[in-house]
Amino acid sequence: MDSKVKKIGILTSGGDAPGMNAVIRAAARTAFKRGIEVYGINRGYNGLIEGDIFKMDVRSVSNILQNGGTCLYTARSPLFKTEEGMQKAIDTCKKHGIEGIVVIGGDGSYRGARDLSLRGIPCVGVPGTIDNDIASTEETIGFDTAMNTAMIMIDRLRDTSQSHDRCSVVEVMGRRCGDIALNTGIAAGATAILVPEVPFDFKTNVVDRIKEGQRLGKNHFIVVVAEGVSHNEENGIGDIFEIAKLIEKETGVESRATILGHVQRGGSPTLRDRVLASRMGNHAVDLLSQGIGNRVVSIRKNEICDDDIFEALNMKKDLDRKVYDVAYEISF
Ligand code: ADP
Ligand code: F6P
């Protein structure tokens, strides 16, 4: 298929996510197949500003599919949000003749891609973030791996909680989105799950549930808390360390708090993330090769599709309440 563009760039931006390498590989391979030159841009928008870019060859993306992290490195670039930074980024694109960029990242990175597109550098966004907080797509790349990692870690916490008759209070990532918490909470059999999208009463949703479990003979407990709850100073209960103390005080069950943290961002991507990343990377270059920019790639009902960046950024996403209800009905 003849391409309308001859040179494209690829960058990863914002928080890294397992599967970013699989996108880079798929995008580069698609481009090569269509006779397009590919430039790797290091450290997100910083690489564009500093001109830290290199020409990729057909073997540059060999043996990266299975690796966590991103071989192009990533960064958060405050300078890119300034007029000066934006101008330098555009100058780099012009200098190298870059006619389109695949931007792999979260909604912040999408905003940058929109700004570049509006200034004549067509960009296509690919949702690379563990948070699953992008409304246009049913799933983001890295989400599945992060959930599986969190589930395995919580299983280990359960072993020690069971041995000591304790309650383990676990904080998982997700920024303001409760999807990682909800799904890992179900998969790891949590007695209570706190997410930012659903208002809760600490007594009803945590304390009474643990007491009911005790009444039914249960003597160890898992409580999963989304960081969007524990980092919210207005939640009325404090961070997970304070939540653990409160649980111990109200139920008498000795409690420990654990923040899973950045382990959730690392590791080899799951099959699901590798396939999603490969399909999305391919689609992103398909758009650019037709001269189409200012789009973001999404998956809906297992179909890869794309949306205008501005429209995608204005879409709203809510937690799946049916899944939330299942969690509350079966965990006691
Ligand atoms: P993520 O892409 O994972 O949401 P960030 O929100 O940190 O991560 O955004 C990544 C980068 O995207 C920022 O460091 C910045 O360079 C760029 N960016 C974020 N918000 C904007 C914005 N409103 N306008 C232009 N660029 C932005
Ligand atoms: O967006 C991914 C994410 O890991 C969030 O879940 C978390 O809130 C944030 O990034 C952590 O950011 P940092 O890598 O700057 O600590």
Side-chain angles (χ1 to χ4, degrees), residues 2 29 33 42 47 54 75 92 113 119 147 151-152 162 184 202 205 217 223 228 231-232 237 250 256 315 319 331:
D2 272 351
R29 290 268 163 93
K33 195 84 178 178
N42 285 324
F54 63 99
T92 301
R119 287 155 194 254
M147 287 191 299
M151 178 189 73
I152 291 164
Q162 182 267 331
T184 56
F202 187 65
N205 294 86
V223 174
H231 295 188
N232 176 3
I237 46 171
E250 299 294 327
R256 292 286 187 271
M315 292 179 191
L319 193 87
S331 305

PDB file of all heavy atoms in Angstrom, residues 2 29 33 42 47 54 75 92 113 119 147 151-152 162 184 202 205 217 223 228 231-232 237 250 256 315 319 331:
ATOM      1  N   ASP A   2       0.650   2.182  -0.917  1.00  0.00           N
ATOM      2  CA  ASP A   2       1.459   3.406  -0.969  1.00  0.00           C
ATOM      3  C   ASP A   2       1.160   4.307   0.208  1.00  0.00           C
ATOM      4  O   ASP A   2       0.008   4.509   0.563  1.00  0.00           O
ATOM      5  CB  ASP A   2       1.154   4.166  -2.267  1.00  0.00           C
ATOM      6  CG  ASP A   2       2.056   3.691  -3.390  1.00  0.00           C
ATOM      7  OD1 ASP A   2       2.993   2.921  -3.081  1.00  0.00           O
ATOM      8  OD2 ASP A   2       1.800   4.071  -4.550  1.00  0.00           O
ATOM      9  N   ARG A  29       7.396  -1.862  12.584  1.00  0.00           N
ATOM     10  CA  ARG A  29       7.321  -2.921  11.566  1.00  0.00           C
ATOM     11  C   ARG A  29       6.293  -2.561  10.483  1.00  0.00           C
ATOM     12  O   ARG A  29       6.507  -2.797   9.296  1.00  0.00           O
ATOM     13  CB  ARG A  29       6.928  -4.251  12.215  1.00  0.00           C
ATOM     14  CG  ARG A  29       8.005  -4.845  13.098  1.00  0.00           C
ATOM     15  CD  ARG A  29       8.893  -5.808  12.313  1.00  0.00           C
ATOM     16  NE  ARG A  29      10.147  -6.078  12.986  1.00  0.00           N
ATOM     17  CZ  ARG A  29      10.362  -7.103  13.826  1.00  0.00           C
ATOM     18  NH1 ARG A  29       9.399  -7.949  14.102  1.00  0.00           N
ATOM     19  NH2 ARG A  29      11.548  -7.265  14.370  1.00  0.00           N
ATOM     20  N   LYS A  33       7.232  -1.952   6.525  1.00  0.00           N
ATOM     21  CA  LYS A  33       6.529  -2.728   5.492  1.00  0.00           C
ATOM     22  C   LYS A  33       5.958  -1.807   4.413  1.00  0.00           C
ATOM     23  O   LYS A  33       5.822  -2.202   3.258  1.00  0.00           O
ATOM     24  CB  LYS A  33       5.384  -3.482   6.196  1.00  0.00           C
ATOM     25  CG  LYS A  33       4.773  -4.590   5.425  1.00  0.00           C
ATOM     26  CD  LYS A  33       5.575  -5.854   5.583  1.00  0.00           C
ATOM     27  CE  LYS A  33       4.968  -7.009   4.872  1.00  0.00           C
ATOM     28  NZ  LYS A  33       5.781  -8.197   5.009  1.00  0.00           N
ATOM     29  N   ASN A  42      13.631   9.765  21.922  1.00  0.00           N
ATOM     30  CA  ASN A  42      13.882   9.340  23.302  1.00  0.00           C
ATOM     31  C   ASN A  42      13.216  10.264  24.323  1.00  0.00           C
ATOM     32  O   ASN A  42      13.153  11.470  24.148  1.00  0.00           O
ATOM     33  CB  ASN A  42      15.393   9.304  23.586  1.00  0.00           C
ATOM     34  CG  ASN A  42      16.063   8.096  22.946  1.00  0.00           C
ATOM     35  OD1 ASN A  42      15.479   7.011  22.890  1.00  0.00           O
ATOM     36  ND2 ASN A  42      17.280   8.273  22.461  1.00  0.00           N
ATOM     37  N   GLY A  47      12.613  14.524  24.201  1.00  0.00           N
ATOM     38  CA  GLY A  47      13.458  14.128  23.081  1.00  0.00           C
ATOM     39  C   GLY A  47      13.215  14.994  21.856  1.00  0.00           C
ATOM     40  O   GLY A  47      14.147  15.305  21.100  1.00  0.00           O
ATOM     41  N   PHE A  54      16.735   9.297  16.767  1.00  0.00           N
ATOM     42  CA  PHE A  54      17.648   8.475  15.957  1.00  0.00           C
ATOM     43  C   PHE A  54      16.837   7.685  14.930  1.00  0.00           C
ATOM     44  O   PHE A  54      15.673   7.369  15.161  1.00  0.00           O
ATOM     45  CB  PHE A  54      18.441   7.521  16.864  1.00  0.00           C
ATOM     46  CG  PHE A  54      17.574   6.521  17.588  1.00  0.00           C
ATOM     47  CD1 PHE A  54      17.436   5.228  17.096  1.00  0.00           C
ATOM     48  CD2 PHE A  54      16.868   6.870  18.746  1.00  0.00           C
ATOM     49  CE1 PHE A  54      16.618   4.306  17.756  1.00  0.00           C
ATOM     50  CE2 PHE A  54      16.052   5.958  19.404  1.00  0.00           C
ATOM     51  CZ  PHE A  54      15.924   4.671  18.915  1.00  0.00           C
ATOM     52  N   ALA A  75       9.289  10.253  29.780  1.00  0.00           N
ATOM     53  CA  ALA A  75       9.497  11.390  30.684  1.00  0.00           C
ATOM     54  C   ALA A  75       8.220  12.199  30.775  1.00  0.00           C
ATOM     55  O   ALA A  75       7.322  12.077  29.936  1.00  0.00           O
ATOM     56  CB  ALA A  75      10.621  12.274  30.152  1.00  0.00           C
ATOM     57  N   THR A  92      12.456  20.528  15.607  1.00  0.00           N
ATOM     58  CA  THR A  92      13.115  19.213  15.454  1.00  0.00           C
ATOM     59  C   THR A  92      12.402  18.396  14.384  1.00  0.00           C
ATOM     60  O   THR A  92      13.048  17.756  13.536  1.00  0.00           O
ATOM     61  CB  THR A  92      13.096  18.445  16.796  1.00  0.00           C
ATOM     62  OG1 THR A  92      13.773  19.226  17.772  1.00  0.00           O
ATOM     63  CG2 THR A  92      13.749  17.082  16.674  1.00  0.00           C
ATOM     64  N   ALA A 113      -0.161  15.624  22.039  1.00  0.00           N
ATOM     65  CA  ALA A 113      -0.327  15.167  20.642  1.00  0.00           C
ATOM     66  C   ALA A 113      -1.327  16.058  19.908  1.00  0.00           C
ATOM     67  O   ALA A 113      -1.143  16.390  18.731  1.00  0.00           O
ATOM     68  CB  ALA A 113      -0.794  13.718  20.629  1.00  0.00           C
ATOM     69  N   ARG A 119      -0.598  22.232  15.269  1.00  0.00           N
ATOM     70  CA  ARG A 119       0.481  23.060  14.692  1.00  0.00           C
ATOM     71  C   ARG A 119       1.156  22.399  13.492  1.00  0.00           C
ATOM     72  O   ARG A 119       2.318  22.675  13.192  1.00  0.00           O
ATOM     73  CB  ARG A 119       1.505  23.378  15.773  1.00  0.00           C
ATOM     74  CG  ARG A 119       0.977  24.401  16.756  1.00  0.00           C
ATOM     75  CD  ARG A 119       1.692  24.226  18.069  1.00  0.00           C
ATOM     76  NE  ARG A 119       1.007  24.945  19.110  1.00  0.00           N
ATOM     77  CZ  ARG A 119       1.451  26.067  19.640  1.00  0.00           C
ATOM     78  NH1 ARG A 119       2.564  26.593  19.212  1.00  0.00           N
ATOM     79  NH2 ARG A 119       0.773  26.649  20.597  1.00  0.00           N
ATOM     80  N   MET A 147      -2.797  -5.389  36.502  1.00  0.00           N
ATOM     81  CA  MET A 147      -3.785  -6.086  37.347  1.00  0.00           C
ATOM     82  C   MET A 147      -3.289  -7.471  37.742  1.00  0.00           C
ATOM     83  O   MET A 147      -3.466  -7.901  38.880  1.00  0.00           O
ATOM     84  CB  MET A 147      -5.111  -6.243  36.604  1.00  0.00           C
ATOM     85  CG  MET A 147      -5.871  -4.959  36.481  1.00  0.00           C
ATOM     86  SD  MET A 147      -7.531  -5.255  35.894  1.00  0.00           S
ATOM     87  CE  MET A 147      -7.260  -6.002  34.316  1.00  0.00           C
ATOM     88  N   MET A 151      -2.623  -8.744  41.446  1.00  0.00           N
ATOM     89  CA  MET A 151      -3.307  -9.941  41.955  1.00  0.00           C
ATOM     90  C   MET A 151      -2.302 -10.920  42.585  1.00  0.00           C
ATOM     91  O   MET A 151      -2.529 -11.437  43.688  1.00  0.00           O
ATOM     92  CB  MET A 151      -4.049 -10.626  40.808  1.00  0.00           C
ATOM     93  CG  MET A 151      -4.759 -11.896  41.219  1.00  0.00           C
ATOM     94  SD  MET A 151      -5.397 -12.783  39.787  1.00  0.00           S
ATOM     95  CE  MET A 151      -3.887 -13.448  39.090  1.00  0.00           C
ATOM     96  N   ILE A 152      -1.189 -11.127  41.897  1.00  0.00           N
ATOM     97  CA  ILE A 152      -0.174 -12.065  42.422  1.00  0.00           C
ATOM     98  C   ILE A 152       0.394 -11.543  43.743  1.00  0.00           C
ATOM     99  O   ILE A 152       0.577 -12.295  44.710  1.00  0.00           O
ATOM    100  CB  ILE A 152       0.946 -12.275  41.368  1.00  0.00           C
ATOM    101  CG1 ILE A 152       0.382 -13.061  40.180  1.00  0.00           C
ATOM    102  CG2 ILE A 152       2.150 -12.993  41.964  1.00  0.00           C
ATOM    103  CD1 ILE A 152       1.242 -13.010  38.929  1.00  0.00           C
ATOM    104  N   GLN A 162      -3.277 -14.832  56.331  1.00  0.00           N
ATOM    105  CA  GLN A 162      -3.946 -16.061  56.782  1.00  0.00           C
ATOM    106  C   GLN A 162      -3.167 -16.679  57.949  1.00  0.00           C
ATOM    107  O   GLN A 162      -3.752 -17.084  58.956  1.00  0.00           O
ATOM    108  CB  GLN A 162      -4.046 -17.026  55.585  1.00  0.00           C
ATOM    109  CG  GLN A 162      -4.752 -18.330  55.846  1.00  0.00           C
ATOM    110  CD  GLN A 162      -3.775 -19.438  56.245  1.00  0.00           C
ATOM    111  OE1 GLN A 162      -2.619 -19.425  55.831  1.00  0.00           O
ATOM    112  NE2 GLN A 162      -4.242 -20.353  57.063  1.00  0.00           N
ATOM    113  N   THR A 184      -8.721  -6.257  40.675  1.00  0.00           N
ATOM    114  CA  THR A 184      -7.806  -7.071  41.494  1.00  0.00           C
ATOM    115  C   THR A 184      -8.498  -7.449  42.796  1.00  0.00           C
ATOM    116  O   THR A 184      -8.263  -8.530  43.339  1.00  0.00           O
ATOM    117  CB  THR A 184      -6.474  -6.355  41.797  1.00  0.00           C
ATOM    118  OG1 THR A 184      -6.754  -5.116  42.408  1.00  0.00           O
ATOM    119  CG2 THR A 184      -5.673  -6.135  40.554  1.00  0.00           C
ATOM    120  N   PHE A 202     -17.499   4.175  55.725  1.00  0.00           N
ATOM    121  CA  PHE A 202     -16.459   3.281  56.228  1.00  0.00           C
ATOM    122  C   PHE A 202     -17.033   2.170  57.107  1.00  0.00           C
ATOM    123  O   PHE A 202     -16.645   1.006  56.993  1.00  0.00           O
ATOM    124  CB  PHE A 202     -15.411   4.093  57.010  1.00  0.00           C
ATOM    125  CG  PHE A 202     -14.222   3.282  57.418  1.00  0.00           C
ATOM    126  CD1 PHE A 202     -13.369   2.747  56.468  1.00  0.00           C
ATOM    127  CD2 PHE A 202     -13.957   3.029  58.751  1.00  0.00           C
ATOM    128  CE1 PHE A 202     -12.268   1.974  56.828  1.00  0.00           C
ATOM    129  CE2 PHE A 202     -12.863   2.254  59.129  1.00  0.00           C
ATOM    130  CZ  PHE A 202     -12.020   1.737  58.161  1.00  0.00           C
ATOM    131  N   ASN A 205     -19.264  -0.161  54.659  1.00  0.00           N
ATOM    132  CA  ASN A 205     -18.565  -0.814  53.543  1.00  0.00           C
ATOM    133  C   ASN A 205     -17.295  -1.553  53.937  1.00  0.00           C
ATOM    134  O   ASN A 205     -16.801  -2.372  53.168  1.00  0.00           O
ATOM    135  CB  ASN A 205     -18.225   0.202  52.446  1.00  0.00           C
ATOM    136  CG  ASN A 205     -19.456   0.759  51.795  1.00  0.00           C
ATOM    137  OD1 ASN A 205     -20.024   1.730  52.296  1.00  0.00           O
ATOM    138  ND2 ASN A 205     -19.912   0.154  50.728  1.00  0.00           N
ATOM    139  N   GLY A 217     -17.103 -17.023  60.548  1.00  0.00           N
ATOM    140  CA  GLY A 217     -15.927 -17.878  60.759  1.00  0.00           C
ATOM    141  C   GLY A 217     -14.683 -17.478  59.995  1.00  0.00           C
ATOM    142  O   GLY A 217     -13.696 -18.215  59.959  1.00  0.00           O
ATOM    143  N   VAL A 223      -8.394  -5.979  52.220  1.00  0.00           N
ATOM    144  CA  VAL A 223      -9.128  -4.767  51.838  1.00  0.00           C
ATOM    145  C   VAL A 223      -8.287  -4.065  50.769  1.00  0.00           C
ATOM    146  O   VAL A 223      -7.117  -3.740  51.005  1.00  0.00           O
ATOM    147  CB  VAL A 223      -9.347  -3.838  53.057  1.00  0.00           C
ATOM    148  CG1 VAL A 223      -9.969  -2.514  52.629  1.00  0.00           C
ATOM    149  CG2 VAL A 223     -10.228  -4.535  54.091  1.00  0.00           C
ATOM    150  N   GLY A 228      -6.672   6.520  44.382  1.00  0.00           N
ATOM    151  CA  GLY A 228      -7.564   7.673  44.243  1.00  0.00           C
ATOM    152  C   GLY A 228      -8.406   7.905  45.489  1.00  0.00           C
ATOM    153  O   GLY A 228      -8.941   8.993  45.706  1.00  0.00           O
ATOM    154  N   HIS A 231      -5.199   8.610  48.562  1.00  0.00           N
ATOM    155  CA  HIS A 231      -4.476   9.877  48.399  1.00  0.00           C
ATOM    156  C   HIS A 231      -5.414  11.077  48.463  1.00  0.00           C
ATOM    157  O   HIS A 231      -4.968  12.212  48.342  1.00  0.00           O
ATOM    158  CB  HIS A 231      -3.726   9.916  47.057  1.00  0.00           C
ATOM    159  CG  HIS A 231      -2.622   8.901  46.955  1.00  0.00           C
ATOM    160  ND1 HIS A 231      -1.741   8.862  45.921  1.00  0.00           N
ATOM    161  CD2 HIS A 231      -2.265   7.875  47.775  1.00  0.00           C
ATOM    162  CE1 HIS A 231      -0.878   7.854  46.089  1.00  0.00           C
ATOM    163  NE2 HIS A 231      -1.189   7.236  47.209  1.00  0.00           N
ATOM    164  N   ASN A 232      -6.688  10.809  48.579  1.00  0.00           N
ATOM    165  CA  ASN A 232      -7.653  11.922  48.621  1.00  0.00           C
ATOM    166  C   ASN A 232      -7.821  12.407  50.058  1.00  0.00           C
ATOM    167  O   ASN A 232      -8.395  11.717  50.893  1.00  0.00           O
ATOM    168  CB  ASN A 232      -8.994  11.438  48.044  1.00  0.00           C
ATOM    169  CG  ASN A 232     -10.067  12.499  48.138  1.00  0.00           C
ATOM    170  OD1 ASN A 232      -9.802  13.628  48.592  1.00  0.00           O
ATOM    171  ND2 ASN A 232     -11.269  12.145  47.722  1.00  0.00           N
ATOM    172  N   ILE A 237     -11.132   9.325  56.039  1.00  0.00           N
ATOM    173  CA  ILE A 237     -10.549   8.185  56.777  1.00  0.00           C
ATOM    174  C   ILE A 237      -9.027   8.148  56.738  1.00  0.00           C
ATOM    175  O   ILE A 237      -8.412   7.350  57.425  1.00  0.00           O
ATOM    176  CB  ILE A 237     -11.088   6.821  56.246  1.00  0.00           C
ATOM    177  CG1 ILE A 237     -11.044   6.794  54.725  1.00  0.00           C
ATOM    178  CG2 ILE A 237     -12.475   6.521  56.781  1.00  0.00           C
ATOM    179  CD1 ILE A 237     -11.343   5.448  54.116  1.00  0.00           C
ATOM    180  N   GLU A 250     -11.680  -0.806  65.195  1.00  0.00           N
ATOM    181  CA  GLU A 250     -13.122  -1.072  65.124  1.00  0.00           C
ATOM    182  C   GLU A 250     -13.478  -2.557  65.122  1.00  0.00           C
ATOM    183  O   GLU A 250     -14.578  -2.941  65.495  1.00  0.00           O
ATOM    184  CB  GLU A 250     -13.716  -0.438  63.854  1.00  0.00           C
ATOM    185  CG  GLU A 250     -13.578   1.077  63.778  1.00  0.00           C
ATOM    186  CD  GLU A 250     -14.394   1.802  64.848  1.00  0.00           C
ATOM    187  OE1 GLU A 250     -15.467   1.296  65.216  1.00  0.00           O
ATOM    188  OE2 GLU A 250     -13.923   2.859  65.322  1.00  0.00           O
ATOM    189  N   ARG A 256      -2.363  -4.704  58.757  1.00  0.00           N
ATOM    190  CA  ARG A 256      -1.120  -4.192  58.166  1.00  0.00           C
ATOM    191  C   ARG A 256      -1.456  -3.507  56.846  1.00  0.00           C
ATOM    192  O   ARG A 256      -2.336  -3.963  56.117  1.00  0.00           O
ATOM    193  CB  ARG A 256      -0.141  -5.332  57.875  1.00  0.00           C
ATOM    194  CG  ARG A 256       0.419  -6.012  59.120  1.00  0.00           C
ATOM    195  CD  ARG A 256       1.456  -5.129  59.816  1.00  0.00           C
ATOM    196  NE  ARG A 256       2.110  -5.835  60.907  1.00  0.00           N
ATOM    197  CZ  ARG A 256       1.667  -5.869  62.167  1.00  0.00           C
ATOM    198  NH1 ARG A 256       0.530  -5.248  62.491  1.00  0.00           N
ATOM    199  NH2 ARG A 256       2.347  -6.520  63.095  1.00  0.00           N
ATOM    200  N   MET A 315     -14.544  12.713  26.316  1.00  0.00           N
ATOM    201  CA  MET A 315     -15.440  11.598  26.675  1.00  0.00           C
ATOM    202  C   MET A 315     -15.346  11.327  28.174  1.00  0.00           C
ATOM    203  O   MET A 315     -14.323  11.580  28.794  1.00  0.00           O
ATOM    204  CB  MET A 315     -15.059  10.329  25.907  1.00  0.00           C
ATOM    205  CG  MET A 315     -15.326  10.419  24.422  1.00  0.00           C
ATOM    206  SD  MET A 315     -14.807   8.883  23.600  1.00  0.00           S
ATOM    207  CE  MET A 315     -14.925   9.377  21.884  1.00  0.00           C
ATOM    208  N   LEU A 319     -17.003   3.860  36.340  1.00  0.00           N
ATOM    209  CA  LEU A 319     -16.712   2.490  36.763  1.00  0.00           C
ATOM    210  C   LEU A 319     -17.884   1.591  36.364  1.00  0.00           C
ATOM    211  O   LEU A 319     -19.039   2.031  36.370  1.00  0.00           O
ATOM    212  CB  LEU A 319     -16.563   2.507  38.290  1.00  0.00           C
ATOM    213  CG  LEU A 319     -15.964   1.282  38.934  1.00  0.00           C
ATOM    214  CD1 LEU A 319     -14.439   1.421  38.953  1.00  0.00           C
ATOM    215  CD2 LEU A 319     -16.468   1.145  40.364  1.00  0.00           C
ATOM    216  N   SER A 331     -18.198 -11.287  48.213  1.00  0.00           N
ATOM    217  CA  SER A 331     -17.014 -11.312  49.096  1.00  0.00           C
ATOM    218  C   SER A 331     -17.391 -11.068  50.545  1.00  0.00           C
ATOM    219  O   SER A 331     -17.646  -9.937  50.925  1.00  0.00           O
ATOM    220  CB  SER A 331     -16.031 -10.228  48.637  1.00  0.00           C
ATOM    221  OG  SER A 331     -15.726 -10.402  47.295  1.00  0.00           O
TER     222      SER A 331
END
